[in-house]
Amino acid sequence: MEGNFYPLLKWMILPPLAGFVLNGLLGKKFLSERAGGILGSLAVLLSFVFALLSLSDLLNLPAADRLLRDTLFTWISAGPFTVDFALRLDPLSAVMALVVSGVSFLIHVYSIGYMHGDKGFHKYFSYLNFFVFFMLVLVLADNPVLMFVGWEGVGLASYLLIGFWYEDPEKASAGKKAFITNRIGDAGFLAGLMLLAAVMHAGGVYALDFSTLSANAQLAAGASFAGVNAAFLIGVLLFVGATGKSAQFPLYVWLPDAMAGPTPVSALIHAATMVTAGVYMLARMFFLYEAAPAALDVVLVTGCFTAFLAAVIAVAQRDIKKVLAYSTVSQLGFMFMAVGAGAWAAGVFHLTTHAFFKALLFLAAGSVIHGLSGEQDLFKMGGLRKHMRTTFILTATGWLALSGVPPLAGFYSKDLILEKVFTSGAGFVWLTGLLTAALTAYYISRLLILAFMDNYRGREHAHESPAVMTVPMGLLAALSVVGGMAGAAWLLPFLQPGAPPEHHSALMIAISVAAAAAGIIAAFLITGRRIGGGHHAAWCPRSLAAAWPRLHRLVYNKFYVDEIYEALLLKPLARFADWTFRVPDSKVIDGALVNGTARLFMSLGRTLGAAQTGNAQFYAIVFMAGLCLLLAAVLAGYYL
């Protein structure tokens, strides 16, 4: 097995696990709120430090040998088939570990201020550490079986965090929706994993570490299952898992509702880490998709459709967190477009920059909500640049980065994806992606205008957030400014050391910038004029809604996808479940088989019990009668 033994890797995952246990078991009784927050944050900071040290050692190796491993123990052993609890550090996992631990640390620090005074403070930090532990297991796993453990672990942690305020039925329901929707996708992941193991076993390969799988990918390419190419089928099944975890059509519906959780949770899980797990998994398994180009086409088209659909929905939303939620779904679509176009490194590049500016925007939204005592309706905000100047400046940084304005981070990574899609020959997908980029600039500009421009339209007195919240936002803003340039100069060559350097087409850059500018200008012409009032007020969104009420209602209600799912899937399944409970379960299984058997033997017992009179003479008569019957049967058999 290739790769150098590196025992430091285990220390990347252990601190968050320790933080989870200490805050969960001891926090409320033995730790103050401040101590619990510091403990949780310090645990993730230690993971980040170990990630930096590991990266340094990785960089000291020749580019072709950058692979470090740490096997903790043999987990599964069945004949020649073995699965180790083994960790892997290569350029891809090193980048992900840094993003996960670094951004998570900033969000932990921010949470100290945001969750101040909450009765579940220590439990909250315990859950955050629990999530980071499993996310690091996912990205550092040396085989897809262990990756699936991390995959399921972050699913459980997200359920706990989304439904953290479970006393509210809406928030509890959002947690259940996220958990169940992800289980649908996870069934695809598990089926693909079992088929992959079966194909490898048939080819005489019994190890499932990623290096062995990559070296034997041709086994899947040359095999078939039920007349379908095995590599294609495995790739599509794994992608089904990715659509659940990374909120792609048709399994994206859980993520907007997941905004019911605390805003730092939205930043951590639904912007920077968990939702990127699907992109990471596809990048990690890209050797398999190279053997099945048709599977890449499925990824490309699905990502393109999801990016456009979510951007359209975001245009009409009023809830500040819902706008950012659909923005996340859309940006994840861009990442899948990159992978589908064969440019997985470009997808990971955008994953990294998106973690910076989207986490910033979510934390900025949390700052606004905190400053307005819980208000989330954009139409009840306005003028906050005067009351929350720091939050406004930081939000504006995220706005420019997400819009794709050079030289901020979003411009570099999004422009590279569009160029890769164009050069792959997918012209229609490129045009759709370009339109989506313009819509992205429009809806995030609309958010900035409604929240920070004109006069304040709310009731609560607005106030700036404390430094414990604004400082992490400032660091994310700095990364949103320089992350694109640094990524283009260092990240891409690090991920693909043998690949030729990227040379951006001036025409592609100009078109990309023009799309962003068009979206920003349109937002200020429409939303800005509405805010300004006067004779331009006829161009307000409400007037547009009056002009096209059905279209506006359709978009505002998210194309009624949830309602369609409920009508076509949930209600029929509920009726079927009710029928199976009433007829096969209650009447056949419980009624006829279980209870019927019990009633039969109870009846027999009562009948036989009636013969137990306690009269010895009666027993003697029965005994003699039975003996006579037995003797008669013997004689009849003898003479006949």
mmCIF file of all heavy atoms in Angstrom, residues 464-511:
data_model
loop_
_atom_site.group_PDB
_atom_site.id
_atom_site.type_symbol
_atom_site.label_atom_id
_atom_site.label_comp_id
_atom_site.label_asym_id
_atom_site.label_seq_id
_atom_site.Cartn_x
_atom_site.Cartn_y
_atom_site.Cartn_z
ATOM 1 N N GLU A 464 -25.351 47.319 16.407
ATOM 2 C CA GLU A 464 -24.250 46.529 15.870
ATOM 3 C C GLU A 464 -23.956 45.341 16.775
ATOM 4 O O GLU A 464 -24.203 45.371 17.979
ATOM 5 C CB GLU A 464 -22.992 47.407 15.736
ATOM 6 C CG GLU A 464 -21.808 46.731 15.072
ATOM 7 C CD GLU A 464 -22.137 46.228 13.665
ATOM 8 O OE1 GLU A 464 -21.969 47.000 12.715
ATOM 9 O OE2 GLU A 464 -22.562 45.059 13.549
ATOM 10 N N SER A 465 -23.448 44.263 16.180
ATOM 11 C CA SER A 465 -23.116 43.057 16.930
ATOM 12 C C SER A 465 -21.778 43.228 17.645
ATOM 13 O O SER A 465 -20.947 44.053 17.243
ATOM 14 C CB SER A 465 -23.055 41.857 15.981
ATOM 15 O OG SER A 465 -24.309 41.642 15.360
ATOM 16 N N PRO A 466 -21.538 42.426 18.698
ATOM 17 C CA PRO A 466 -20.277 42.546 19.433
ATOM 18 C C PRO A 466 -19.092 42.054 18.619
ATOM 19 O O PRO A 466 -19.240 41.372 17.601
ATOM 20 C CB PRO A 466 -20.515 41.667 20.667
ATOM 21 C CG PRO A 466 -21.558 40.691 20.245
ATOM 22 C CD PRO A 466 -22.446 41.431 19.291
ATOM 23 N N ALA A 467 -17.901 42.391 19.110
ATOM 24 C CA ALA A 467 -16.669 42.061 18.387
ATOM 25 C C ALA A 467 -16.476 40.565 18.229
ATOM 26 O O ALA A 467 -15.902 40.112 17.228
ATOM 27 C CB ALA A 467 -15.464 42.659 19.119
ATOM 28 N N VAL A 468 -16.973 39.760 19.195
ATOM 29 C CA VAL A 468 -16.811 38.315 19.084
ATOM 30 C C VAL A 468 -17.532 37.772 17.854
ATOM 31 O O VAL A 468 -17.208 36.683 17.358
ATOM 32 C CB VAL A 468 -17.321 37.628 20.373
ATOM 33 C CG1 VAL A 468 -18.842 37.675 20.460
ATOM 34 C CG2 VAL A 468 -16.809 36.199 20.474
ATOM 35 N N MET A 469 -18.482 38.547 17.318
ATOM 36 C CA MET A 469 -19.176 38.159 16.090
ATOM 37 C C MET A 469 -18.580 38.828 14.859
ATOM 38 O O MET A 469 -18.473 38.212 13.799
ATOM 39 C CB MET A 469 -20.666 38.493 16.205
ATOM 40 C CG MET A 469 -21.401 37.711 17.276
ATOM 41 S SD MET A 469 -23.096 38.271 17.563
ATOM 42 C CE MET A 469 -23.866 37.892 15.995
ATOM 43 N N THR A 470 -18.193 40.092 14.967
ATOM 44 C CA THR A 470 -17.710 40.819 13.785
ATOM 45 C C THR A 470 -16.269 40.462 13.402
ATOM 46 O O THR A 470 -15.917 40.509 12.227
ATOM 47 C CB THR A 470 -17.822 42.333 14.006
ATOM 48 O OG1 THR A 470 -17.109 42.698 15.192
ATOM 49 C CG2 THR A 470 -19.276 42.753 14.158
ATOM 50 N N VAL A 471 -15.439 40.089 14.394
ATOM 51 C CA VAL A 471 -14.046 39.752 14.063
ATOM 52 C C VAL A 471 -13.966 38.509 13.178
ATOM 53 O O VAL A 471 -13.264 38.508 12.148
ATOM 54 C CB VAL A 471 -13.205 39.600 15.348
ATOM 55 C CG1 VAL A 471 -11.835 38.999 15.020
ATOM 56 C CG2 VAL A 471 -13.036 40.954 16.030
ATOM 57 N N PRO A 472 -14.648 37.397 13.507
ATOM 58 C CA PRO A 472 -14.632 36.254 12.574
ATOM 59 C C PRO A 472 -15.161 36.623 11.191
ATOM 60 O O PRO A 472 -14.648 36.136 10.174
ATOM 61 C CB PRO A 472 -15.549 35.233 13.263
ATOM 62 C CG PRO A 472 -15.491 35.570 14.701
ATOM 63 C CD PRO A 472 -15.368 37.063 14.752
ATOM 64 N N MET A 473 -16.176 37.492 11.148
ATOM 65 C CA MET A 473 -16.687 37.946 9.859
ATOM 66 C C MET A 473 -15.604 38.705 9.095
ATOM 67 O O MET A 473 -15.465 38.567 7.873
ATOM 68 C CB MET A 473 -17.913 38.834 10.065
ATOM 69 C CG MET A 473 -19.142 38.095 10.562
ATOM 70 S SD MET A 473 -20.398 39.196 11.257
ATOM 71 C CE MET A 473 -20.682 40.301 9.874
ATOM 72 N N GLY A 474 -14.819 39.519 9.817
ATOM 73 C CA GLY A 474 -13.741 40.269 9.169
ATOM 74 C C GLY A 474 -12.688 39.362 8.567
ATOM 75 O O GLY A 474 -12.186 39.617 7.456
ATOM 76 N N LEU A 475 -12.339 38.289 9.265
ATOM 77 C CA LEU A 475 -11.355 37.340 8.735
ATOM 78 C C LEU A 475 -11.892 36.635 7.492
ATOM 79 O O LEU A 475 -11.163 36.431 6.506
ATOM 80 C CB LEU A 475 -10.986 36.321 9.809
ATOM 81 C CG LEU A 475 -10.231 36.871 11.025
ATOM 82 C CD1 LEU A 475 -10.061 35.807 12.093
ATOM 83 C CD2 LEU A 475 -8.860 37.408 10.598
ATOM 84 N N LEU A 476 -13.174 36.270 7.512
ATOM 85 C CA LEU A 476 -13.778 35.652 6.329
ATOM 86 C C LEU A 476 -13.841 36.642 5.166
ATOM 87 O O LEU A 476 -13.677 36.258 4.004
ATOM 88 C CB LEU A 476 -15.179 35.149 6.669
ATOM 89 C CG LEU A 476 -15.246 33.895 7.545
ATOM 90 C CD1 LEU A 476 -16.660 33.656 8.037
ATOM 91 C CD2 LEU A 476 -14.739 32.674 6.781
ATOM 92 N N ALA A 477 -14.076 37.920 5.488
ATOM 93 C CA ALA A 477 -14.085 38.940 4.436
ATOM 94 C C ALA A 477 -12.714 39.062 3.790
ATOM 95 O O ALA A 477 -12.594 39.196 2.562
ATOM 96 C CB ALA A 477 -14.535 40.276 5.012
ATOM 97 N N ALA A 478 -11.670 39.012 4.613
ATOM 98 C CA ALA A 478 -10.313 39.085 4.063
ATOM 99 C C ALA A 478 -10.038 37.896 3.146
ATOM 100 O O ALA A 478 -9.448 38.052 2.057
ATOM 101 C CB ALA A 478 -9.301 39.128 5.210
ATOM 102 N N LEU A 479 -10.469 36.715 3.565
ATOM 103 C CA LEU A 479 -10.293 35.531 2.716
ATOM 104 C C LEU A 479 -11.124 35.640 1.444
ATOM 105 O O LEU A 479 -10.712 35.145 0.384
ATOM 106 C CB LEU A 479 -10.695 34.279 3.494
ATOM 107 C CG LEU A 479 -9.759 33.873 4.638
ATOM 108 C CD1 LEU A 479 -10.381 32.769 5.484
ATOM 109 C CD2 LEU A 479 -8.411 33.416 4.094
ATOM 110 N N SER A 480 -12.284 36.293 1.529
ATOM 111 C CA SER A 480 -13.118 36.480 0.341
ATOM 112 C C SER A 480 -12.472 37.424 -0.658
ATOM 113 O O SER A 480 -12.753 37.365 -1.857
ATOM 114 C CB SER A 480 -14.495 37.032 0.752
ATOM 115 O OG SER A 480 -15.158 36.143 1.616
ATOM 116 N N VAL A 481 -11.597 38.292 -0.168
ATOM 117 C CA VAL A 481 -10.905 39.232 -1.050
ATOM 118 C C VAL A 481 -9.707 38.572 -1.713
ATOM 119 O O VAL A 481 -9.521 38.651 -2.939
ATOM 120 C CB VAL A 481 -10.466 40.484 -0.267
ATOM 121 C CG1 VAL A 481 -9.584 41.384 -1.146
ATOM 122 C CG2 VAL A 481 -11.686 41.259 0.231
ATOM 123 N N VAL A 482 -8.884 37.876 -0.920
ATOM 124 C CA VAL A 482 -7.617 37.351 -1.452
ATOM 125 C C VAL A 482 -7.702 35.884 -1.846
ATOM 126 O O VAL A 482 -6.790 35.367 -2.490
ATOM 127 C CB VAL A 482 -6.479 37.536 -0.413
ATOM 128 C CG1 VAL A 482 -6.353 38.999 -0.016
ATOM 129 C CG2 VAL A 482 -6.720 36.676 0.824
ATOM 130 N N GLY A 483 -8.790 35.193 -1.445
ATOM 131 C CA GLY A 483 -8.867 33.749 -1.677
ATOM 132 C C GLY A 483 -8.828 33.353 -3.135
ATOM 133 O O GLY A 483 -8.262 32.313 -3.491
ATOM 134 N N GLY A 484 -9.417 34.163 -4.002
ATOM 135 C CA GLY A 484 -9.423 33.833 -5.424
ATOM 136 C C GLY A 484 -8.043 33.930 -6.039
ATOM 137 O O GLY A 484 -7.605 33.018 -6.766
ATOM 138 N N MET A 485 -7.350 35.001 -5.758
ATOM 139 C CA MET A 485 -5.992 35.165 -6.299
ATOM 140 C C MET A 485 -5.057 34.085 -5.762
ATOM 141 O O MET A 485 -4.264 33.501 -6.507
ATOM 142 C CB MET A 485 -5.467 36.557 -5.944
ATOM 143 C CG MET A 485 -6.196 37.691 -6.635
ATOM 144 S SD MET A 485 -5.588 39.335 -6.172
ATOM 145 C CE MET A 485 -6.337 39.521 -4.549
ATOM 146 N N ALA A 486 -5.145 33.825 -4.440
ATOM 147 C CA ALA A 486 -4.292 32.800 -3.842
ATOM 148 C C ALA A 486 -4.633 31.421 -4.400
ATOM 149 O O ALA A 486 -3.739 30.603 -4.657
ATOM 150 C CB ALA A 486 -4.461 32.809 -2.323
ATOM 151 N N GLY A 487 -5.926 31.168 -4.602
ATOM 152 C CA GLY A 487 -6.332 29.880 -5.135
ATOM 153 C C GLY A 487 -5.833 29.654 -6.542
ATOM 154 O O GLY A 487 -5.366 28.564 -6.896
ATOM 155 N N ALA A 488 -5.934 30.698 -7.376
ATOM 156 C CA ALA A 488 -5.464 30.567 -8.753
ATOM 157 C C ALA A 488 -3.961 30.346 -8.807
ATOM 158 O O ALA A 488 -3.449 29.609 -9.666
ATOM 159 C CB ALA A 488 -5.851 31.811 -9.541
ATOM 160 N N ALA A 489 -3.230 31.001 -7.890
ATOM 161 C CA ALA A 489 -1.768 30.913 -7.902
ATOM 162 C C ALA A 489 -1.239 29.646 -7.236
ATOM 163 O O ALA A 489 -0.222 29.097 -7.658
ATOM 164 C CB ALA A 489 -1.171 32.145 -7.219
ATOM 165 N N TRP A 490 -1.950 29.169 -6.187
ATOM 166 C CA TRP A 490 -1.411 28.066 -5.400
ATOM 167 C C TRP A 490 -2.311 26.831 -5.371
ATOM 168 O O TRP A 490 -1.832 25.700 -5.524
ATOM 169 C CB TRP A 490 -1.177 28.528 -3.957
ATOM 170 C CG TRP A 490 -0.717 27.422 -3.058
ATOM 171 C CD1 TRP A 490 0.542 26.938 -2.939
ATOM 172 C CD2 TRP A 490 -1.545 26.633 -2.180
ATOM 173 N NE1 TRP A 490 0.569 25.888 -2.036
ATOM 174 C CE2 TRP A 490 -0.696 25.689 -1.551
ATOM 175 C CE3 TRP A 490 -2.902 26.636 -1.871
ATOM 176 C CZ2 TRP A 490 -1.176 24.767 -0.640
ATOM 177 C CZ3 TRP A 490 -3.387 25.716 -0.957
ATOM 178 C CH2 TRP A 490 -2.517 24.791 -0.346
ATOM 179 N N LEU A 491 -3.607 27.021 -5.180
ATOM 180 C CA LEU A 491 -4.490 25.884 -4.954
ATOM 181 C C LEU A 491 -4.572 24.948 -6.160
ATOM 182 O O LEU A 491 -4.426 23.725 -6.029
ATOM 183 C CB LEU A 491 -5.892 26.383 -4.574
ATOM 184 C CG LEU A 491 -6.929 25.294 -4.295
ATOM 185 C CD1 LEU A 491 -6.517 24.475 -3.077
ATOM 186 C CD2 LEU A 491 -8.314 25.897 -4.071
ATOM 187 N N LEU A 492 -4.804 25.510 -7.336
ATOM 188 C CA LEU A 492 -4.969 24.657 -8.525
ATOM 189 C C LEU A 492 -3.707 23.857 -8.842
ATOM 190 O O LEU A 492 -3.784 22.649 -9.089
ATOM 191 C CB LEU A 492 -5.397 25.516 -9.713
ATOM 192 C CG LEU A 492 -6.817 26.094 -9.616
ATOM 193 C CD1 LEU A 492 -7.067 27.090 -10.748
ATOM 194 C CD2 LEU A 492 -7.850 24.976 -9.657
ATOM 195 N N PRO A 493 -2.501 24.469 -8.827
ATOM 196 C CA PRO A 493 -1.299 23.658 -9.048
ATOM 197 C C PRO A 493 -1.076 22.622 -7.953
ATOM 198 O O PRO A 493 -0.519 21.555 -8.210
ATOM 199 C CB PRO A 493 -0.170 24.706 -9.053
ATOM 200 C CG PRO A 493 -0.839 25.994 -9.374
ATOM 201 C CD PRO A 493 -2.190 25.908 -8.766
ATOM 202 N N PHE A 494 -1.506 22.934 -6.737
ATOM 203 C CA PHE A 494 -1.351 21.979 -5.630
ATOM 204 C C PHE A 494 -2.255 20.767 -5.821
ATOM 205 O O PHE A 494 -1.847 19.623 -5.592
ATOM 206 C CB PHE A 494 -1.662 22.689 -4.313
ATOM 207 C CG PHE A 494 -1.588 21.796 -3.105
ATOM 208 C CD1 PHE A 494 -0.395 21.174 -2.743
ATOM 209 C CD2 PHE A 494 -2.710 21.579 -2.321
ATOM 210 C CE1 PHE A 494 -0.324 20.353 -1.628
ATOM 211 C CE2 PHE A 494 -2.657 20.753 -1.202
ATOM 212 C CZ PHE A 494 -1.457 20.141 -0.860
ATOM 213 N N LEU A 495 -3.492 21.013 -6.276
ATOM 214 C CA LEU A 495 -4.433 19.916 -6.488
ATOM 215 C C LEU A 495 -4.054 19.055 -7.682
ATOM 216 O O LEU A 495 -4.216 17.834 -7.660
ATOM 217 C CB LEU A 495 -5.849 20.471 -6.681
ATOM 218 C CG LEU A 495 -6.537 21.059 -5.454
ATOM 219 C CD1 LEU A 495 -7.834 21.749 -5.850
ATOM 220 C CD2 LEU A 495 -6.817 19.978 -4.423
ATOM 221 N N GLN A 496 -3.575 19.688 -8.743
ATOM 222 C CA GLN A 496 -3.184 18.971 -9.965
ATOM 223 C C GLN A 496 -1.786 19.412 -10.383
ATOM 224 O O GLN A 496 -1.617 20.242 -11.274
ATOM 225 C CB GLN A 496 -4.185 19.252 -11.085
ATOM 226 C CG GLN A 496 -5.559 18.632 -10.847
ATOM 227 C CD GLN A 496 -6.497 18.868 -12.006
ATOM 228 O OE1 GLN A 496 -6.722 20.015 -12.417
ATOM 229 N NE2 GLN A 496 -7.057 17.806 -12.562
ATOM 230 N N PRO A 497 -0.757 18.859 -9.730
ATOM 231 C CA PRO A 497 0.609 19.351 -9.969
ATOM 232 C C PRO A 497 1.104 19.160 -11.388
ATOM 233 O O PRO A 497 1.924 19.931 -11.870
ATOM 234 C CB PRO A 497 1.443 18.534 -8.971
ATOM 235 C CG PRO A 497 0.610 17.340 -8.647
ATOM 236 C CD PRO A 497 -0.805 17.797 -8.730
ATOM 237 N N GLY A 498 0.588 18.166 -12.086
ATOM 238 C CA GLY A 498 1.077 17.932 -13.439
ATOM 239 C C GLY A 498 0.300 18.657 -14.514
ATOM 240 O O GLY A 498 0.668 18.620 -15.695
ATOM 241 N N ALA A 499 -0.786 19.311 -14.141
ATOM 242 C CA ALA A 499 -1.645 19.968 -15.131
ATOM 243 C C ALA A 499 -1.017 21.270 -15.607
ATOM 244 O O ALA A 499 -0.309 21.954 -14.858
ATOM 245 C CB ALA A 499 -3.020 20.247 -14.541
ATOM 246 N N PRO A 500 -1.250 21.651 -16.859
ATOM 247 C CA PRO A 500 -0.725 22.933 -17.353
ATOM 248 C C PRO A 500 -1.385 24.087 -16.628
ATOM 249 O O PRO A 500 -2.527 23.985 -16.170
ATOM 250 C CB PRO A 500 -1.100 22.913 -18.843
ATOM 251 C CG PRO A 500 -2.250 21.957 -18.937
ATOM 252 C CD PRO A 500 -2.022 20.928 -17.880
ATOM 253 N N PRO A 501 -0.699 25.213 -16.488
ATOM 254 C CA PRO A 501 -1.282 26.368 -15.801
ATOM 255 C C PRO A 501 -2.504 26.901 -16.540
ATOM 256 O O PRO A 501 -2.613 26.785 -17.757
ATOM 257 C CB PRO A 501 -0.137 27.396 -15.793
ATOM 258 C CG PRO A 501 0.765 26.968 -16.905
ATOM 259 C CD PRO A 501 0.663 25.483 -16.981
ATOM 260 N N GLU A 502 -3.436 27.464 -15.746
ATOM 261 C CA GLU A 502 -4.673 27.983 -16.329
ATOM 262 C C GLU A 502 -4.418 29.336 -16.995
ATOM 263 O O GLU A 502 -3.800 30.219 -16.409
ATOM 264 C CB GLU A 502 -5.747 28.136 -15.249
ATOM 265 C CG GLU A 502 -6.140 26.831 -14.577
ATOM 266 C CD GLU A 502 -6.892 25.915 -15.526
ATOM 267 O OE1 GLU A 502 -7.369 26.400 -16.572
ATOM 268 O OE2 GLU A 502 -7.010 24.708 -15.220
ATOM 269 N N HIS A 503 -4.889 29.481 -18.229
ATOM 270 C CA HIS A 503 -4.813 30.758 -18.946
ATOM 271 C C HIS A 503 -6.239 31.175 -19.300
ATOM 272 O O HIS A 503 -6.890 30.556 -20.141
ATOM 273 C CB HIS A 503 -3.964 30.627 -20.213
ATOM 274 C CG HIS A 503 -2.524 30.308 -19.925
ATOM 275 N ND1 HIS A 503 -1.661 31.203 -19.348
ATOM 276 C CD2 HIS A 503 -1.804 29.169 -20.142
ATOM 277 C CE1 HIS A 503 -0.453 30.647 -19.217
ATOM 278 N NE2 HIS A 503 -0.529 29.401 -19.683
ATOM 279 N N HIS A 504 -6.720 32.187 -18.637
ATOM 280 C CA HIS A 504 -8.091 32.629 -18.841
ATOM 281 C C HIS A 504 -8.218 33.421 -20.134
ATOM 282 O O HIS A 504 -7.392 34.299 -20.435
ATOM 283 C CB HIS A 504 -8.560 33.480 -17.659
ATOM 284 C CG HIS A 504 -8.633 32.712 -16.373
ATOM 285 N ND1 HIS A 504 -9.767 32.077 -15.949
ATOM 286 C CD2 HIS A 504 -7.691 32.466 -15.421
ATOM 287 C CE1 HIS A 504 -9.536 31.481 -14.781
ATOM 288 N NE2 HIS A 504 -8.283 31.702 -14.448
ATOM 289 N N SER A 505 -9.266 33.118 -20.863
ATOM 290 C CA SER A 505 -9.544 33.863 -22.089
ATOM 291 C C SER A 505 -10.066 35.249 -21.741
ATOM 292 O O SER A 505 -10.978 35.398 -20.901
ATOM 293 C CB SER A 505 -10.583 33.106 -22.912
ATOM 294 O OG SER A 505 -11.161 33.935 -23.876
ATOM 295 N N ALA A 506 -9.505 36.261 -22.375
ATOM 296 C CA ALA A 506 -9.951 37.639 -22.115
ATOM 297 C C ALA A 506 -11.418 37.820 -22.484
ATOM 298 O O ALA A 506 -12.168 38.528 -21.801
ATOM 299 C CB ALA A 506 -9.079 38.622 -22.899
ATOM 300 N N LEU A 507 -11.847 37.151 -23.565
ATOM 301 C CA LEU A 507 -13.237 37.254 -23.973
ATOM 302 C C LEU A 507 -14.155 36.616 -22.931
ATOM 303 O O LEU A 507 -15.202 37.183 -22.579
ATOM 304 C CB LEU A 507 -13.432 36.566 -25.328
ATOM 305 C CG LEU A 507 -14.870 36.561 -25.879
ATOM 306 C CD1 LEU A 507 -15.373 37.989 -26.064
ATOM 307 C CD2 LEU A 507 -14.934 35.781 -27.181
ATOM 308 N N MET A 508 -13.773 35.445 -22.412
ATOM 309 C CA MET A 508 -14.582 34.783 -21.395
ATOM 310 C C MET A 508 -14.670 35.627 -20.127
ATOM 311 O O MET A 508 -15.727 35.724 -19.489
ATOM 312 C CB MET A 508 -13.988 33.409 -21.054
ATOM 313 C CG MET A 508 -14.104 32.376 -22.148
ATOM 314 S SD MET A 508 -15.807 31.829 -22.453
ATOM 315 C CE MET A 508 -16.132 32.663 -24.004
ATOM 316 N N ILE A 509 -13.555 36.245 -19.758
ATOM 317 C CA ILE A 509 -13.541 37.118 -18.578
ATOM 318 C C ILE A 509 -14.485 38.294 -18.786
ATOM 319 O O ILE A 509 -15.277 38.649 -17.908
ATOM 320 C CB ILE A 509 -12.112 37.617 -18.285
ATOM 321 C CG1 ILE A 509 -11.235 36.447 -17.827
ATOM 322 C CG2 ILE A 509 -12.129 38.706 -17.220
ATOM 323 C CD1 ILE A 509 -9.779 36.820 -17.639
ATOM 324 N N ALA A 510 -14.409 38.908 -19.973
ATOM 325 C CA ALA A 510 -15.261 40.066 -20.261
ATOM 326 C C ALA A 510 -16.735 39.686 -20.219
ATOM 327 O O ALA A 510 -17.565 40.429 -19.665
ATOM 328 C CB ALA A 510 -14.894 40.641 -21.628
ATOM 329 N N ILE A 511 -17.078 38.535 -20.767
ATOM 330 C CA ILE A 511 -18.479 38.091 -20.761
ATOM 331 C C ILE A 511 -18.938 37.820 -19.335
ATOM 332 O O ILE A 511 -20.060 38.192 -18.939
ATOM 333 C CB ILE A 511 -18.643 36.840 -21.645
ATOM 334 C CG1 ILE A 511 -18.387 37.196 -23.115
ATOM 335 C CG2 ILE A 511 -20.033 36.243 -21.478
ATOM 336 C CD1 ILE A 511 -18.375 35.997 -24.037
#
